[in-house]
Amino acid sequence: MEINWIIIAVVLVCAIALILYLIKKNQKDKKDVTNFFNSDTTIRKESELDEEEEY
């Protein structure tokens, strides 16, 4: 049984590229989510005040 090194190399390169892409995407999403939740808390505080005034 002969091992096809070219196929193994291609699969490894694709797996490493996928892992690097996911790490980079995760770091970008982490910044976006942090900014969203930080800005979202101020909006919720203002809307909660409006809801309390209606009652």
Side-chain angles (χ1 to χ4, degrees), residues 28-45:
K28 182 181 177 186
D29 289 343
K30 184 178 177 182
K31 290 178 186 176
D32 292 341
V33 169
T34 302
N35 290 336
F36 172 76
F37 282 120
N38 285 340
S39 65
D40 191 40
T41 56
T42 58
I43 294 170
R44 287 187 179 180
K45 287 179 182 176

Side-chain angles (χ1 to χ4, degrees), residues 6-44:
I6 295 173
I7 293 175
I8 293 173
V10 170
V11 170
L12 286 176
V13 168
C14 290
I16 291 170
L18 178 64
I19 290 170
L20 292 175
Y21 170 75
L22 291 174
I23 290 171
K24 188 173 183 179
K25 182 81 169 162
N26 188 28
Q27 293 298 322
K28 182 181 177 186
D29 289 343
K30 184 178 177 182
K31 290 178 186 176
D32 292 341
V33 169
T34 302
N35 290 336
F36 172 76
F37 282 120
N38 285 340
S39 65
D40 191 40
T41 56
T42 58
I43 294 170
R44 287 187 179 180

